[in-house]
Amino acid sequence: MARVPGGLWKNLIALQVFGANTGVGKTVFSTLLGAHFGRRAGNTKWRVKYIKPVSTGPAGEADDSYVHKYSGQRVSTLFKFDEAVSPHVAARGSKLVPSDELISQTIFQTVQEEARAVSSEQGTTGLSIIETAGGVLSPGPSGTPQADLLRPLRLPSILVGDHRLGGIASTISAAESLIMRGYDIDAVVCFEDQSKYENAQYLNKYFKEMGVSAFILPWIPNMEGIGAGTSEEMKVMQGYYESQSQKSHMNDIAGHLVNSHSERLKKMDAMASRTSEAIWHPFTQHKHVKSADDILVFDSAYGDYFQVKRTGLQPEEDSILYPAFDGSASWWTQGLGHGNPRLALEAAYAAGRYGHVMFAGATHEPALTLAETLLEDSNNPRLKKVFYTDNGSTATEVAIKMALRATSKRYDWDSAKDPVGVIGLKGSYHGDTIGAMDASEPCVFNEKVDWYRGRGFWFEYPTFKLKNGQWVVEPPVGMQEEFGPAQYFDAQDDIFNLAQRGPYDRYEAYIEKTLDELVKTQGRKFGALVMEPVILGAGGMMFVDPLFQQSLVHVVRRYDFSSGASPPSPSTGTDELAWSGLPVVFDEVFTGLYRLGRFTSASFLNLHPDISVHAKLLTGGLLPLSITAASTSIFQAFWGDEKAEALLHGHSYTAHAVGCHVANTSLQTTKRAKNGEEWAAFKQQWAPAERTNDEHHLWSAWSKRFVYQLSKHPSVEFVNALGSVLAVSIVDEAGSGMCFFLVFLTITPSHLTRC
Amino acid sequence: MARVPGGLWKNLIALQVFGANTGVGKTVFSTLLGAHFGRRAGNTKWRVKYIKPVSTGPAGEADDSYVHKYSGQRVSTLFKFDEAVSPHVAARGSKLVPSDELISQTIFQTVQEEARAVSSEQGTTGLSIIETAGGVLSPGPSGTPQADLLRPLRLPSILVGDHRLGGIASTISAAESLIMRGYDIDAVVCFEDQSKYENAQYLNKYFKEMGVSAFILPWIPNMEGIGAGTSEEMKVMQGYYESQSQKSHMNDIAGHLVNSHSERLKKMDAMASRTSEAIWHPFTQHKHVKSADDILVFDSAYGDYFQVKRTGLQPEEDSILYPAFDGSASWWTQGLGHGNPRLALEAAYAAGRYGHVMFAGATHEPALTLAETLLEDSNNPRLKKVFYTDNGSTATEVAIKMALRATSKRYDWDSAKDPVGVIGLKGSYHGDTIGAMDASEPCVFNEKVDWYRGRGFWFEYPTFKLKNGQWVVEPPVGMQEEFGPAQYFDAQDDIFNLAQRGPYDRYEAYIEKTLDELVKTQGRKFGALVMEPVILGAGGMMFVDPLFQQSLVHVVRRYDFSSGASPPSPSTGTDELAWSGLPVVFDEVFTGLYRLGRFTSASFLNLHPDISVHAKLLTGGLLPLSITAASTSIFQAFWGDEKAEALLHGHSYTAHAVGCHVANTSLQTTKRAKNGEEWAAFKQQWAPAERTNDEHHLWSAWSKRFVYQLSKHPSVEFVNALGSVLAVSIVDEAGSGMCFFLVFLTITPSHLTRC
């Protein structure tokens, strides 16, 4: 998850040479390439450098001296180990094992220096050839497969094919391993050994059909009967490199590589303006996009970072890519980081096993396993059924359909004639389809939407925060009478100690009084309580007093919403798990699935909703997928003889196998992290002194010291830190609070370990 | 795309042995496995068979005789070639090159016969070891990589690792190639050669961390100094197999394999009932699901077929999987077939390069390329901007938001006070979120949805069909006066010859009269015409007279909907591409993207909508993704100084890179097919005699002869056949028409070539 810039220079072509296996001619090809560019006449003068990131074995046999000898070019090996074994074995004997990050950083720096030198040599273009060791996935010194450790640079790659028996298979598999790690293969190069295997012909055709350029090179001279290291050998090889490096096939390859590089640069340059031509961006007032340069052009992303194209003035010799921290975790979707090779592989597995298979009247393992995991790990005895849709908005629509039908049915309402609304909190947000919008109060996001009709009532609520080193629960302005004065706490944990704090009569009385006014006086009908537990994310990172949310649920569950008609007992009789009052819907799209350190955010309120909505983090940050989980008493409201009584909702890709399988992988991985050492350190530092052994206290992925200090900063009004969410409210110049928020990117070992 | 059953038997374990490369010990391992099971004492008597699907080289050196010699088990080679080269080279010299389908069929039959034999031998269990040739992707006789040609059977796989230098890389890459083709790897087996490379240790750890079982086996005897084929060699090897096959590591492997098999069976058996516990299915009245056996359990899918678990009584010896044709193309999503390895690889590429990256104010190549392709290939000069969402329903909501804002703004309506509806066709369907539902008239699908409010007016329309060999356009019952009598045509093409047929005064007069009643008399306001061109899919495969749809658009575009306020000229002045009357929205979710043989279904009507919606086929059938394309005059309605004036819509995974990249691959592939020989044959047979060279005539992926004959069948009321859609209306017993529909699965070369 290195913060290494992507490698793309205007004045220099950096290429990495991979082999389909060892012994396929990587070094021969690198030498040919170096010799070709180094000796090439023409308009361009090339400054060539051959870089071997990691080398093992005696210095005399090293690839760098071979390349230097025959290509005449400058060479450099970055990390050397004496033993002629795989780097991960060789490194074990070494005192200093270079980290993955150090290796990719060092490659970057080395090429960057070349680019600087190139820019100081008039009329010169650079070529850096980075030759990898062994096969595509041979381990580097740390043991990480090479293609993974080099990934942050994402250099264009040349794959040298395997000419031997079995080489067709190993070459295609090696290419697949590169492709699924997000590499672009500029060329596959095969030496034509004139054997009966005909690998070169097969591979050439295969890759061209895939859209990957492929080239055949003549065979390396037969050295049989010529002693290794003799002057005879040297003469033969010198002749080979001199003649072959200038032949037409090398011209073809070189021309193609130069062209690929300039095409990539051209494309990158044009992308912002092409985007402003063709794309209508989400949530964007396009009049505010002053120029195409305001659009971030992503070359790729890895770990916590985007690789973004630089805009504006910059030194000519700098890489045009820079790593930008994904502060919003790409709208709070990311769980395992960008470009995660495991998620990519698992996505491909499900695609290869199923593609998408229709889900009506059918089942498949990924969807079933995911549903069971969600039901089990939610640890909510009410939730028994999972309904799949595609995003938080559609999942909320389903939740509302579920809840309203259950209510209308039990209370015998005709909602076609008599409108039924929802109860919620001010500033709530559940998505952008009309049904989800209608569950939020009017605001800037929906005021101009012609079909929007806010259908419900939204409560005010007190919020909690860390202000100048002090935890406090505060009522909103003008609501002191209703909610009482500010309450101060020693620790965030104390705010969530609801058993000790509650029941708080003032909250319950206010809620009851308000409901009486709405239901008894105004005669309004409500079909659900729809609420984001703990944090209202999109509404501006409002951290709601958990006691208020708990009180609201308690009151709603005992309140008589039947509007005169005495409510019939739940369809399951005296089932204590059946909904009462109104079905309680928790929208955990933002807060659920470990975002706050726990599987559900409902658990912070010690509550079991009747319906629960999850999305965003569900797939670990790869694909759209969402679920609405419901209780048996909700499910039974759709049970009937008529088809029309069923929940007639569905999208074409309902429960798509790729999303479900990736979700399973992501949840498993995060669960392991949760129970592992990585999270323990964070928990430890936030543990109240008397509760160090208690796993259930609140914690943040940000250091406690940092958070408290931040809260005391003069420009900071208050902060909140829970799980991976950090919200900082900045005092603006006029002195009024202006909320600015940041979200910590990942909650996985790879990230947390580094903090 | 073979119709081969998946291989899973209750009384027999069928395993395939892959090698990470040639020469890694596949045959040694297969022999050990055979010997272990063959000689094993205990409760189970094993009937072992070793199967070599394809063998090359002289008979004396064949793997089967080696395995027989040392394991003592029964062996069989299915296809033999004499030359010791890759099967695709060897087969070239042969007169009969077995097809991929024949090979997988033959393997299936061979194992099936074993299963039959097992069931006739009391107390016996079967083990079939299928040993592949070369590496995982070594070409079979046809040239198809082996892992692809064997994929329909999807047998559990054992991967023998490569112990040599470079073998770590080649083993992991080989595993990745298997995984991305949807195989389950039951075990990775590495021979421990005690070299300094330590491959076995590394691989063992690597795979275990991935959740794949891995085993280390002791090294094969050193045969140095022992002549090949001598009795000495035989003695050494016999000793090796006898001792090693009974040792604890083979016990471990064998136990694991037996356990994996029984766990898989158990899981398959439990899936239906577990599903009925945990899953709330889309569009399903669960009361109608009489038993868990009604749920189709998909093991996997490939090409046009699901692999479904058998239910009910069946011979014990049959595979419990059968291939079931995916008749609805999984709700009309499939373009390139299930389990397509190319789509899987491309999905992994985008996942590896980006994961998901947020799209607000940003751009990336897959989303940009897809947007440009859609705009260009739509060949609609109006469409200039693409907005991304997740499915047809959300894309329709966006379309409605776009259109209504444009109308309200131009006509200066306050839609919060004065409701604005849409104009559409009866029986239309646009999705299940509330906004999309509201654009359809009341019907069984929405009647019980509490927040549903049909907002609009929906026209009756004439439909066309092939009735008893005769093409006819018919008015609906009771509408003869409005639409005129039935019109008969020689060919489907003539129905779509709108230039010759139109304008049809009767249609236009009816539409105008109806609009006058709605707008002038009742004072209703409308903000869009929302229509599915040519076919109303979900509404029951209604094929609408294209002349009626064209007439409706023509009238709407010249009609004054401004309700008294004289309509201001379009914001772009006299721009002929600006919308007039009402914005015209085409929902091409079902009919677009080559479903009917053309990129857009709008082209059949010779019309250019102002807003166009695509989904379903967009990703070739892998993932949810949708777009709403709009004209400049629509886009400009959201241009303003205030954020609230923008289109404030967006989903977390907007324009997710995996979906966009897969969509690009799918559209490219289909475009190649469209212009290729594969489609030419279909076009040819539907070509009107005088227009054989005209590429633009209508055609069906079903044979013309078959379609005409079907239309004359006594039980068939009528048929429709256009592109890949075939709809057959069956006359039910009471004599009234009952529509039954079928959709042809794919529109790709692989499928069409076979027809």
Side-chain angles (χ1 to χ4, degrees), chain B residues 242-255:
Chain B
E242 265 169 43
S243 65
Q244 291 300 330
S245 66
Q246 302 309 311
K247 287 226 169 131
S248 67
H249 39 259
M250 280 309 297
N251 279 332
D252 292 348
I253 295 175

Side-chain angles (χ1 to χ4, degrees), chain A residues 85 92 137-138 143 151 154 169 172-173 176-177 179-181 183-184 196 198 202 210 267 271 274-278 280-285 287-288 296 298-301 330-331 334 338-339 342 348-349 351-354 356 358-363 365 372 384-387 390-391 397 401-402 404-405 408 415 420 432-435 437 448 450-451 453 455 616 619 621 623 638-644 646 648-653, chain B residues 85 92 137-138 143 151 154 169 172-173 176-177 179-184 196 198 202 210 267 271 274-278 280-285 287-288 296 298-301 330-331 334 338-339 342 348-349 351-354 356 358-363 365 372 384-387 390-391 397 401-402 404-405 408 415 420 432-435 437 448 450-451 453 455 616 619 621 623 638 640-644 646 648-653:
Chain A
V85 288
R92 248 181 351 220
L137 296 179
S138 288
R151 172 59 183 76
R154 211 180 78 85
I172 302 173
S173 283
E176 291 180 350
S177 291
I179 290 168
M180 54 154 278
R181 283 166 177 80
Y183 285 105
D184 291 319
K196 53 191 178 177
E198 303 181 16
Y202 184 96
M210 267 180 76
K267 250 193 187 169
M271 273 178 73
R274 280 170 51 203
T275 297
S276 66
E277 278 297 307
W280 190 335
H281 271 117
F283 290 115
T284 301
Q285 176 46 268
K287 195 177 178 186
H288 295 169
L296 295 173
F298 294 147
D299 172 75
S300 56
S330 284
W331 284 356
Q334 299 301 297
H338 295 284
R342 181 75 200 283
Y349 166 76
R353 180 169 173 185
Y354 306 94
H356 165 63
M358 59 137 194
F359 198 61
T363 193
E365 210 180 300
E372 290 177 339
K384 296 294 179 198
K385 300 280 178 190
V386 168
F387 192 94
D390 294 342
N391 56 46
E397 296 238 350
K401 286 184 180 181
M402 287 175 173
L404 267 54
R405 179 78 63 85
S408 291
S415 56
V420 177
D432 301 317
T433 52
I434 295 295
M437 291 189 111
K448 296 253 180 192
D450 297 84
W451 277 6
R453 299 282 181 274
R455 316 197 211 199
K616 287 193 185 284
T619 59
L623 293 165
F638 293 81
W639 185 270
D641 292 320
E642 299 304 319
K643 175 130 188 168
L648 298 178
H649 192 112
H651 302 285
S652 304
Y653 287 91
Chain B
V85 288
R92 245 179 354 216
L137 296 180
S138 288
R151 172 59 183 76
R154 212 181 77 85
I172 301 174
S173 283
E176 289 180 350
S177 291
I179 290 168
M180 55 153 279
R181 282 165 178 81
Y183 285 105
D184 291 318
K196 54 190 179 177
E198 304 182 15
Y202 184 96
M210 267 180 75
K267 250 194 186 169
M271 272 179 72
R274 279 169 52 203
T275 297
S276 66
E277 279 296 307
W280 191 334
H281 271 117
F283 290 115
T284 302
Q285 177 46 268
K287 195 177 178 185
H288 295 169
L296 295 173
F298 295 147
D299 172 74
S300 55
S330 283
W331 284 357
Q334 298 301 296
H338 295 285
R342 180 75 201 283
Y349 166 76
R353 180 170 172 186
Y354 307 94
H356 166 62
M358 59 136 194
F359 197 60
T363 191
E365 208 179 302
E372 289 177 339
K384 296 294 179 197
K385 301 279 177 189
V386 169
F387 192 95
D390 294 342
N391 57 46
E397 297 237 351
K401 286 184 181 181
M402 286 177 174
L404 267 54
R405 179 78 64 85
S408 291
S415 57
V420 176
D432 301 318
T433 52
I434 295 295
M437 291 188 111
K448 297 253 179 193
D450 296 84
W451 278 5
R453 299 281 181 274
R455 317 198 211 200
K616 286 191 185 288
T619 59
L623 292 165
F638 292 81
D641 293 320
E642 298 302 318
K643 175 131 188 167
L648 298 178
H649 192 113
H651 302 285
S652 305
Y653 287 91

Side-chain angles (χ1 to χ4, degrees), chain B residues 543-600:
Chain B
F543 285 66
V544 186
D545 181 4
L547 185 59
F548 182 81
Q549 291 196 317
Q550 196 194 52
S551 304
L552 184 54
V553 170
H554 285 165
V555 174
V556 160
R557 283 191 162 160
R558 68 178 185 241
Y559 197 84
D560 176 9
F561 287 91
S562 67
S563 347
S566 129
S569 52
S571 47
T572 42
T574 55
D575 183 354
E576 61 174 11
L577 300 178
W579 64 272
S580 62
L582 294 181
V584 173
V585 178
F586 276 6
D587 168 357
E588 298 209 13
V589 170
F590 174 72
T591 53
L593 305 178
Y594 303 112
R595 171 67 67 212
L596 306 184
R598 295 192 190 166
F599 192 82
T600 70

Side-chain angles (χ1 to χ4, degrees), chain A residues 574-601:
Chain A
T574 55
D575 184 353
E576 61 173 12
L577 300 179
W579 65 272
S580 61
L582 295 181
V584 173
V585 178
F586 276 7
D587 167 356
E588 299 209 10
V589 170
F590 174 71
T591 53
L593 305 178
Y594 303 112
R595 172 66 68 213
L596 305 184
R598 296 190 190 167
F599 192 82
T600 70
S601 51

Side-chain angles (χ1 to χ4, degrees), chain A residues 184-306:
Chain A
D184 291 319
I185 301 179
D186 262 15
V188 175
V189 174
C190 300
F191 286 100
E192 161 65 82
D193 69 348
Q194 290 163 326
S195 74
K196 53 191 178 177
Y197 306 130
E198 303 181 16
N199 289 10
Q201 286 70 23
Y202 184 96
L203 291 170
N204 209 50
K205 181 162 173 276
Y206 188 92
F207 284 105
K208 282 184 173 162
E209 278 172 9
M210 267 180 76
V212 174
S213 299
F215 300 88
I216 297 179
L217 286 179
W219 188 235
I220 301 157
N222 185 349
M223 305 299 267
E224 245 174 81
I226 298 174
T230 59
S231 61
E232 173 70 4
E233 184 202 57
M234 180 144 174
K235 204 174 133 198
V236 170
M237 289 311 294
Q238 260 169 350
Y240 169 77
Y241 286 116
E242 266 168 42
S243 65
Q244 291 301 328
S245 66
Q246 302 310 313
K247 288 225 168 132
S248 66
H249 37 261
M250 278 310 296
N251 279 331
D252 292 348
I253 294 175
H256 169 73
L257 295 173
V258 170
N259 192 50
S260 293
H261 179 253
S262 67
E263 285 298 315
R264 187 175 170 207
L265 289 174
K266 252 193 256 169
K267 250 193 187 169
M268 294 285 295
D269 277 343
M271 273 178 73
S273 62
R274 280 170 51 203
T275 297
S276 66
E277 278 297 307
I279 297 289
W280 190 335
H281 271 117
F283 290 115
T284 301
Q285 176 46 268
H286 280 270
K287 195 177 178 186
H288 295 169
V289 184
K290 293 299 175 203
S291 95
D293 273 357
D294 290 351
I295 297 170
L296 295 173
V297 174
F298 294 147
D299 172 75
S300 56
Y302 196 68
D304 309 337
Y305 294 91
F306 303 123

